[in-house]
mmCIF file of all heavy atoms in Angstrom:
data_model
loop_
_atom_site.group_PDB
_atom_site.id
_atom_site.type_symbol
_atom_site.label_atom_id
_atom_site.label_comp_id
_atom_site.label_asym_id
_atom_site.label_seq_id
_atom_site.Cartn_x
_atom_site.Cartn_y
_atom_site.Cartn_z
ATOM 1 N N LEU A 491 -14.017 20.512 -23.942
ATOM 2 C CA LEU A 491 -13.931 21.734 -23.162
ATOM 3 C C LEU A 491 -12.503 22.148 -23.114
ATOM 4 O O LEU A 491 -11.626 21.546 -22.540
ATOM 5 C CB LEU A 491 -14.323 21.447 -21.749
ATOM 6 C CG LEU A 491 -15.856 21.129 -21.575
ATOM 7 C CD1 LEU A 491 -16.180 20.987 -20.076
ATOM 8 C CD2 LEU A 491 -16.716 22.303 -22.154
ATOM 9 N N THR A 492 -12.136 23.220 -23.824
ATOM 10 C CA THR A 492 -10.788 23.754 -23.816
ATOM 11 C C THR A 492 -10.933 25.291 -23.562
ATOM 12 O O THR A 492 -12.062 25.870 -23.537
ATOM 13 C CB THR A 492 -10.150 23.641 -25.175
ATOM 14 O OG1 THR A 492 -10.841 24.405 -26.147
ATOM 15 C CG2 THR A 492 -10.138 22.137 -25.618
ATOM 16 N N ALA A 493 -9.837 25.942 -23.253
ATOM 17 C CA ALA A 493 -9.925 27.372 -22.919
ATOM 18 C C ALA A 493 -10.448 28.176 -24.135
ATOM 19 O O ALA A 493 -11.027 29.229 -23.983
ATOM 20 C CB ALA A 493 -8.476 27.857 -22.597
ATOM 21 N N ALA A 494 -10.203 27.606 -25.316
ATOM 22 C CA ALA A 494 -10.738 28.363 -26.459
ATOM 23 C C ALA A 494 -12.190 28.024 -26.838
ATOM 24 O O ALA A 494 -12.674 28.632 -27.773
ATOM 25 C CB ALA A 494 -9.836 27.904 -27.623
ATOM 26 N N ALA A 495 -12.778 27.123 -26.188
ATOM 27 C CA ALA A 495 -14.154 26.767 -26.493
ATOM 28 C C ALA A 495 -14.948 26.563 -25.282
ATOM 29 O O ALA A 495 -15.706 25.606 -25.175
ATOM 30 C CB ALA A 495 -14.155 25.485 -27.318
ATOM 31 N N LEU A 496 -14.897 27.515 -24.368
ATOM 32 C CA LEU A 496 -15.672 27.390 -23.088
ATOM 33 C C LEU A 496 -17.110 27.853 -23.309
ATOM 34 O O LEU A 496 -17.933 27.672 -22.364
ATOM 35 C CB LEU A 496 -14.998 28.266 -22.051
ATOM 36 C CG LEU A 496 -13.728 27.624 -21.293
ATOM 37 C CD1 LEU A 496 -13.157 28.588 -20.292
ATOM 38 C CD2 LEU A 496 -14.064 26.262 -20.712
ATOM 39 N N LEU A 497 -17.403 28.476 -24.356
ATOM 40 C CA LEU A 497 -18.739 28.939 -24.571
ATOM 41 C C LEU A 497 -19.552 27.970 -25.405
ATOM 42 O O LEU A 497 -19.106 27.660 -26.551
ATOM 43 C CB LEU A 497 -18.792 30.323 -25.194
ATOM 44 C CG LEU A 497 -18.212 31.466 -24.362
ATOM 45 C CD1 LEU A 497 -18.257 32.807 -25.111
ATOM 46 C CD2 LEU A 497 -19.011 31.606 -23.059
ATOM 47 N N LEU A 498 -20.682 27.517 -25.013
ATOM 48 C CA LEU A 498 -21.550 26.675 -25.794
ATOM 49 C C LEU A 498 -22.825 27.422 -26.151
ATOM 50 O O LEU A 498 -23.257 28.350 -25.335
ATOM 51 C CB LEU A 498 -21.870 25.356 -25.067
ATOM 52 C CG LEU A 498 -20.759 24.425 -24.816
ATOM 53 C CD1 LEU A 498 -21.220 23.260 -23.996
ATOM 54 C CD2 LEU A 498 -20.198 23.926 -26.157
ATOM 55 N N PRO A 499 -23.524 27.101 -27.190
ATOM 56 C CA PRO A 499 -24.819 27.775 -27.426
ATOM 57 C C PRO A 499 -25.789 27.829 -26.263
ATOM 58 O O PRO A 499 -26.023 26.802 -25.643
ATOM 59 C CB PRO A 499 -25.384 27.016 -28.623
ATOM 60 C CG PRO A 499 -24.144 26.403 -29.271
ATOM 61 C CD PRO A 499 -23.225 26.072 -28.164
ATOM 62 N N GLY A 500 -26.226 28.960 -25.829
ATOM 63 C CA GLY A 500 -27.175 28.996 -24.779
ATOM 64 C C GLY A 500 -26.536 29.043 -23.414
ATOM 65 O O GLY A 500 -27.282 29.036 -22.381
ATOM 66 N N THR A 501 -25.219 29.154 -23.309
ATOM 67 C CA THR A 501 -24.532 29.123 -21.982
ATOM 68 C C THR A 501 -23.582 30.331 -21.904
ATOM 69 O O THR A 501 -23.320 31.018 -22.904
ATOM 70 C CB THR A 501 -23.695 27.883 -21.726
ATOM 71 O OG1 THR A 501 -22.627 27.809 -22.624
ATOM 72 C CG2 THR A 501 -24.604 26.648 -21.933
ATOM 73 N N THR A 502 -23.133 30.619 -20.682
ATOM 74 C CA THR A 502 -22.069 31.600 -20.574
ATOM 75 C C THR A 502 -20.844 30.943 -20.080
ATOM 76 O O THR A 502 -20.925 29.805 -19.574
ATOM 77 C CB THR A 502 -22.542 32.679 -19.561
ATOM 78 O OG1 THR A 502 -22.645 32.024 -18.232
ATOM 79 C CG2 THR A 502 -23.935 33.336 -19.933
ATOM 80 N N GLY A 503 -19.714 31.721 -20.126
ATOM 81 C CA GLY A 503 -18.525 31.054 -19.610
ATOM 82 C C GLY A 503 -18.534 30.702 -18.222
ATOM 83 O O GLY A 503 -18.105 29.774 -17.719
ATOM 84 N N THR A 504 -19.175 31.665 -17.410
ATOM 85 C CA THR A 504 -19.379 31.350 -15.979
ATOM 86 C C THR A 504 -20.137 30.060 -15.726
ATOM 87 O O THR A 504 -19.860 29.271 -14.834
ATOM 88 C CB THR A 504 -19.966 32.578 -15.246
ATOM 89 O OG1 THR A 504 -19.206 33.739 -15.443
ATOM 90 C CG2 THR A 504 -20.142 32.299 -13.765
ATOM 91 N N ALA A 505 -21.289 29.969 -16.490
ATOM 92 C CA ALA A 505 -22.137 28.794 -16.258
ATOM 93 C C ALA A 505 -21.394 27.534 -16.544
ATOM 94 O O ALA A 505 -21.486 26.516 -15.824
ATOM 95 C CB ALA A 505 -23.373 28.928 -17.126
ATOM 96 N N LEU A 506 -20.546 27.519 -17.594
ATOM 97 C CA LEU A 506 -19.825 26.340 -17.960
ATOM 98 C C LEU A 506 -18.745 26.025 -16.938
ATOM 99 O O LEU A 506 -18.566 24.950 -16.516
ATOM 100 C CB LEU A 506 -19.180 26.565 -19.363
ATOM 101 C CG LEU A 506 -18.604 25.297 -19.965
ATOM 102 C CD1 LEU A 506 -19.563 24.195 -20.011
ATOM 103 C CD2 LEU A 506 -17.974 25.648 -21.391
ATOM 104 N N ALA A 507 -18.093 27.079 -16.401
ATOM 105 C CA ALA A 507 -17.088 26.901 -15.389
ATOM 106 C C ALA A 507 -17.761 26.312 -14.172
ATOM 107 O O ALA A 507 -17.145 25.479 -13.491
ATOM 108 C CB ALA A 507 -16.395 28.194 -15.112
ATOM 109 N N ASP A 508 -18.905 26.818 -13.798
ATOM 110 C CA ASP A 508 -19.651 26.303 -12.687
ATOM 111 C C ASP A 508 -19.984 24.836 -12.867
ATOM 112 O O ASP A 508 -19.931 24.051 -11.964
ATOM 113 C CB ASP A 508 -20.919 27.099 -12.464
ATOM 114 C CG ASP A 508 -20.630 28.527 -11.854
ATOM 115 O OD1 ASP A 508 -19.541 28.743 -11.484
ATOM 116 O OD2 ASP A 508 -21.548 29.358 -11.913
ATOM 117 N N THR A 509 -20.271 24.428 -14.089
ATOM 118 C CA THR A 509 -20.576 23.099 -14.359
ATOM 119 C C THR A 509 -19.389 22.168 -14.197
ATOM 120 O O THR A 509 -19.509 21.012 -13.627
ATOM 121 C CB THR A 509 -21.139 22.898 -15.852
ATOM 122 O OG1 THR A 509 -22.258 23.725 -16.043
ATOM 123 C CG2 THR A 509 -21.534 21.487 -16.134
ATOM 124 N N VAL A 510 -18.180 22.662 -14.500
ATOM 125 C CA VAL A 510 -17.010 21.809 -14.324
ATOM 126 C C VAL A 510 -16.794 21.632 -12.800
ATOM 127 O O VAL A 510 -16.581 20.530 -12.395
ATOM 128 C CB VAL A 510 -15.739 22.564 -14.870
ATOM 129 C CG1 VAL A 510 -14.462 21.859 -14.449
ATOM 130 C CG2 VAL A 510 -15.883 22.627 -16.376
ATOM 131 N N ARG A 511 -16.907 22.645 -12.042
ATOM 132 C CA ARG A 511 -16.727 22.529 -10.529
ATOM 133 C C ARG A 511 -17.889 21.717 -9.933
ATOM 134 O O ARG A 511 -17.670 20.901 -9.058
ATOM 135 C CB ARG A 511 -16.578 23.932 -9.896
ATOM 136 C CG ARG A 511 -16.288 23.896 -8.424
ATOM 137 C CD ARG A 511 -14.914 23.291 -8.130
ATOM 138 N NE ARG A 511 -13.813 23.929 -8.754
ATOM 139 C CZ ARG A 511 -13.224 25.025 -8.253
ATOM 140 N NH1 ARG A 511 -13.622 25.577 -7.132
ATOM 141 N NH2 ARG A 511 -12.223 25.634 -8.928
ATOM 142 N N THR A 512 -19.078 22.011 -10.440
ATOM 143 C CA THR A 512 -20.272 21.257 -9.906
ATOM 144 C C THR A 512 -20.072 19.793 -10.176
ATOM 145 O O THR A 512 -20.500 18.945 -9.320
ATOM 146 C CB THR A 512 -21.513 21.781 -10.557
ATOM 147 O OG1 THR A 512 -21.682 23.193 -10.223
ATOM 148 C CG2 THR A 512 -22.763 21.037 -10.052
ATOM 149 N N SER A 513 -19.496 19.381 -11.320
ATOM 150 C CA SER A 513 -19.324 17.954 -11.644
ATOM 151 C C SER A 513 -18.435 17.326 -10.694
ATOM 152 O O SER A 513 -18.395 16.059 -10.624
ATOM 153 C CB SER A 513 -18.794 17.842 -13.075
ATOM 154 O OG SER A 513 -19.746 18.376 -13.980
ATOM 155 N N GLN A 514 -17.566 18.095 -9.995
ATOM 156 C CA GLN A 514 -16.674 17.583 -8.993
ATOM 157 C C GLN A 514 -17.264 17.353 -7.712
ATOM 158 O O GLN A 514 -16.731 16.560 -6.823
ATOM 159 C CB GLN A 514 -15.444 18.437 -8.801
ATOM 160 C CG GLN A 514 -14.383 18.368 -9.860
ATOM 161 C CD GLN A 514 -13.135 19.020 -9.370
ATOM 162 O OE1 GLN A 514 -13.025 20.288 -9.304
ATOM 163 N NE2 GLN A 514 -12.202 18.252 -8.910
ATOM 164 N N GLN A 515 -18.373 17.979 -7.401
ATOM 165 C CA GLN A 515 -18.851 18.074 -6.001
ATOM 166 C C GLN A 515 -19.233 16.707 -5.349
ATOM 167 O O GLN A 515 -18.936 16.498 -4.166
ATOM 168 C CB GLN A 515 -20.091 18.975 -5.949
ATOM 169 C CG GLN A 515 -19.796 20.421 -6.246
ATOM 170 C CD GLN A 515 -18.649 20.950 -5.308
ATOM 171 O OE1 GLN A 515 -18.719 20.826 -4.053
ATOM 172 N NE2 GLN A 515 -17.663 21.526 -5.920
ATOM 173 N N SER A 516 -19.721 15.775 -6.125
ATOM 174 C CA SER A 516 -20.024 14.460 -5.570
ATOM 175 C C SER A 516 -18.782 13.769 -5.076
ATOM 176 O O SER A 516 -18.749 13.200 -3.978
ATOM 177 C CB SER A 516 -20.674 13.614 -6.708
ATOM 178 O OG SER A 516 -20.900 12.314 -6.188
ATOM 179 N N VAL A 517 -17.713 13.840 -5.836
ATOM 180 C CA VAL A 517 -16.453 13.197 -5.453
ATOM 181 C C VAL A 517 -15.867 13.868 -4.180
ATOM 182 O O VAL A 517 -15.446 13.245 -3.233
ATOM 183 C CB VAL A 517 -15.424 13.230 -6.557
ATOM 184 C CG1 VAL A 517 -14.030 12.795 -6.015
ATOM 185 C CG2 VAL A 517 -15.867 12.308 -7.672
ATOM 186 N N LEU A 518 -15.855 15.277 -4.246
ATOM 187 C CA LEU A 518 -15.254 15.995 -3.123
ATOM 188 C C LEU A 518 -16.065 15.812 -1.821
ATOM 189 O O LEU A 518 -15.533 15.756 -0.753
ATOM 190 C CB LEU A 518 -15.154 17.460 -3.458
ATOM 191 C CG LEU A 518 -14.254 17.828 -4.724
ATOM 192 C CD1 LEU A 518 -14.296 19.295 -5.004
ATOM 193 C CD2 LEU A 518 -12.825 17.348 -4.425
ATOM 194 N N ARG A 519 -17.392 15.753 -1.997
ATOM 195 C CA ARG A 519 -18.249 15.475 -0.826
ATOM 196 C C ARG A 519 -18.001 14.140 -0.228
ATOM 197 O O ARG A 519 -17.995 13.990 0.981
ATOM 198 C CB ARG A 519 -19.694 15.652 -1.259
ATOM 199 C CG ARG A 519 -20.687 15.763 -0.044
ATOM 200 C CD ARG A 519 -22.088 16.011 -0.626
ATOM 201 N NE ARG A 519 -22.252 17.100 -1.589
ATOM 202 C CZ ARG A 519 -22.515 16.933 -2.848
ATOM 203 N NH1 ARG A 519 -22.753 15.695 -3.329
ATOM 204 N NH2 ARG A 519 -22.602 18.002 -3.638
ATOM 205 N N THR A 520 -17.868 13.123 -1.177
ATOM 206 C CA THR A 520 -17.566 11.768 -0.663
ATOM 207 C C THR A 520 -16.366 11.707 0.196
ATOM 208 O O THR A 520 -16.299 11.013 1.217
ATOM 209 C CB THR A 520 -17.547 10.795 -1.857
ATOM 210 O OG1 THR A 520 -18.750 10.729 -2.566
ATOM 211 C CG2 THR A 520 -17.139 9.395 -1.376
ATOM 212 N N LEU A 521 -15.346 12.435 -0.234
ATOM 213 C CA LEU A 521 -14.043 12.450 0.502
ATOM 214 C C LEU A 521 -14.043 13.448 1.654
ATOM 215 O O LEU A 521 -13.062 13.459 2.463
ATOM 216 C CB LEU A 521 -12.912 12.811 -0.457
ATOM 217 C CG LEU A 521 -12.675 11.874 -1.635
ATOM 218 C CD1 LEU A 521 -11.683 12.447 -2.595
ATOM 219 C CD2 LEU A 521 -12.197 10.476 -1.128
ATOM 220 N N ASP A 522 -15.096 14.265 1.785
ATOM 221 C CA ASP A 522 -15.224 15.225 2.904
ATOM 222 C C ASP A 522 -14.053 16.163 2.954
ATOM 223 O O ASP A 522 -13.449 16.413 4.002
ATOM 224 C CB ASP A 522 -15.403 14.481 4.194
ATOM 225 C CG ASP A 522 -15.897 15.376 5.314
ATOM 226 O OD1 ASP A 522 -16.505 16.419 5.008
ATOM 227 O OD2 ASP A 522 -15.812 15.071 6.474
ATOM 228 N N VAL A 523 -13.633 16.700 1.766
ATOM 229 C CA VAL A 523 -12.469 17.523 1.704
ATOM 230 C C VAL A 523 -12.708 18.898 2.286
ATOM 231 O O VAL A 523 -11.765 19.523 2.756
ATOM 232 C CB VAL A 523 -11.970 17.625 0.273
ATOM 233 C CG1 VAL A 523 -11.393 16.266 -0.252
ATOM 234 C CG2 VAL A 523 -12.964 18.199 -0.654
ATOM 235 N N GLU A 524 -13.934 19.423 2.206
ATOM 236 C CA GLU A 524 -14.211 20.796 2.751
ATOM 237 C C GLU A 524 -13.885 20.859 4.195
ATOM 238 O O GLU A 524 -13.312 21.894 4.612
ATOM 239 C CB GLU A 524 -15.684 21.216 2.408
ATOM 240 C CG GLU A 524 -15.892 21.391 0.914
ATOM 241 C CD GLU A 524 -17.188 22.068 0.660
ATOM 242 O OE1 GLU A 524 -17.890 22.473 1.697
ATOM 243 O OE2 GLU A 524 -17.534 22.289 -0.514
ATOM 244 N N HIS A 525 -14.219 19.872 4.929
ATOM 245 C CA HIS A 525 -13.877 19.884 6.377
ATOM 246 C C HIS A 525 -12.370 19.739 6.578
ATOM 247 O O HIS A 525 -11.774 20.333 7.455
ATOM 248 C CB HIS A 525 -14.594 18.750 7.174
ATOM 249 C CG HIS A 525 -16.038 19.017 7.381
ATOM 250 N ND1 HIS A 525 -17.055 18.521 6.608
ATOM 251 C CD2 HIS A 525 -16.680 19.829 8.314
ATOM 252 C CE1 HIS A 525 -18.184 18.980 7.050
ATOM 253 N NE2 HIS A 525 -18.040 19.724 8.063
ATOM 254 N N ALA A 526 -11.748 18.882 5.708
ATOM 255 C CA ALA A 526 -10.293 18.654 5.774
ATOM 256 C C ALA A 526 -9.590 19.941 5.504
ATOM 257 O O ALA A 526 -8.556 20.296 6.124
ATOM 258 C CB ALA A 526 -9.890 17.533 4.848
ATOM 259 N N TRP A 527 -10.078 20.711 4.510
ATOM 260 C CA TRP A 527 -9.368 21.944 4.139
ATOM 261 C C TRP A 527 -9.341 22.987 5.207
ATOM 262 O O TRP A 527 -8.549 24.003 5.185
ATOM 263 C CB TRP A 527 -10.009 22.492 2.884
ATOM 264 C CG TRP A 527 -9.800 21.824 1.584
ATOM 265 C CD1 TRP A 527 -8.714 20.851 1.470
ATOM 266 C CD2 TRP A 527 -10.501 21.850 0.451
ATOM 267 N NE1 TRP A 527 -8.809 20.310 0.217
ATOM 268 C CE2 TRP A 527 -9.851 20.906 -0.462
ATOM 269 C CE3 TRP A 527 -11.600 22.501 0.005
ATOM 270 C CZ2 TRP A 527 -10.347 20.682 -1.803
ATOM 271 C CZ3 TRP A 527 -12.095 22.306 -1.298
ATOM 272 C CH2 TRP A 527 -11.420 21.415 -2.192
ATOM 273 N N LYS A 528 -10.184 22.884 6.209
ATOM 274 C CA LYS A 528 -10.100 23.798 7.425
ATOM 275 C C LYS A 528 -8.871 23.484 8.272
ATOM 276 O O LYS A 528 -8.504 24.327 9.049
ATOM 277 C CB LYS A 528 -11.388 23.621 8.201
ATOM 278 C CG LYS A 528 -12.665 24.051 7.523
ATOM 279 C CD LYS A 528 -13.886 23.866 8.392
ATOM 280 C CE LYS A 528 -15.144 24.335 7.596
ATOM 281 N NZ LYS A 528 -16.406 24.053 8.342
ATOM 282 N N VAL A 529 -8.270 22.304 8.063
ATOM 283 C CA VAL A 529 -7.123 21.959 8.786
ATOM 284 C C VAL A 529 -5.829 22.184 7.972
ATOM 285 O O VAL A 529 -4.906 22.796 8.401
ATOM 286 C CB VAL A 529 -7.230 20.451 9.178
ATOM 287 C CG1 VAL A 529 -5.921 20.053 9.999
ATOM 288 C CG2 VAL A 529 -8.450 20.182 10.055
ATOM 289 N N THR A 530 -5.939 21.742 6.706
ATOM 290 C CA THR A 530 -4.703 21.845 5.790
ATOM 291 C C THR A 530 -5.190 21.628 4.375
ATOM 292 O O THR A 530 -6.127 20.897 4.098
ATOM 293 C CB THR A 530 -3.615 20.883 6.058
ATOM 294 O OG1 THR A 530 -2.606 21.018 5.107
ATOM 295 C CG2 THR A 530 -4.148 19.481 6.099
ATOM 296 N N LYS A 531 -4.503 22.332 3.456
ATOM 297 C CA LYS A 531 -4.756 22.053 2.019
ATOM 298 C C LYS A 531 -3.561 21.531 1.306
ATOM 299 O O LYS A 531 -3.390 21.489 0.145
ATOM 300 C CB LYS A 531 -5.125 23.406 1.336
ATOM 301 C CG LYS A 531 -6.534 23.905 1.722
ATOM 302 C CD LYS A 531 -6.934 25.117 0.975
ATOM 303 C CE LYS A 531 -8.366 25.507 1.313
ATOM 304 N NZ LYS A 531 -8.838 26.709 0.485
ATOM 305 N N GLY A 532 -2.573 21.023 2.107
ATOM 306 C CA GLY A 532 -1.431 20.279 1.561
ATOM 307 C C GLY A 532 -0.184 21.124 1.325
ATOM 308 O O GLY A 532 0.779 20.711 0.709
ATOM 309 N N ARG A 533 -0.139 22.309 1.917
ATOM 310 C CA ARG A 533 1.032 23.197 1.715
ATOM 311 C C ARG A 533 2.267 22.528 2.229
ATOM 312 O O ARG A 533 2.288 21.937 3.298
ATOM 313 C CB ARG A 533 0.776 24.550 2.417
ATOM 314 C CG ARG A 533 1.929 25.546 2.263
ATOM 315 C CD ARG A 533 1.654 26.846 2.952
ATOM 316 N NE ARG A 533 0.459 27.473 2.400
ATOM 317 C CZ ARG A 533 0.393 28.241 1.345
ATOM 318 N NH1 ARG A 533 1.462 28.383 0.511
ATOM 319 N NH2 ARG A 533 -0.744 28.790 0.927
ATOM 320 N N GLY A 534 3.361 22.676 1.519
ATOM 321 C CA GLY A 534 4.617 22.131 1.985
ATOM 322 C C GLY A 534 4.918 20.682 1.569
ATOM 323 O O GLY A 534 6.000 20.146 1.825
#
Side-chain angles (χ1 to χ4, degrees):
L491 293 182
T492 66
L496 284 177
L497 295 179
L498 294 176
T501 68
T502 65
T504 301
L506 189 54
D508 287 345
T509 301
V510 171
R511 185 63 60 82
T512 300
S513 297
Q514 281 196 282
Q515 290 309 305
S516 175
V517 169
L518 298 179
R519 193 179 308 114
T520 296
L521 298 172
D522 196 16
V523 295
E524 289 192 4
H525 285 98
W527 288 341
K528 294 178 181 179
V529 179
T530 176
K531 290 187 176 181
R533 184 179 298 277

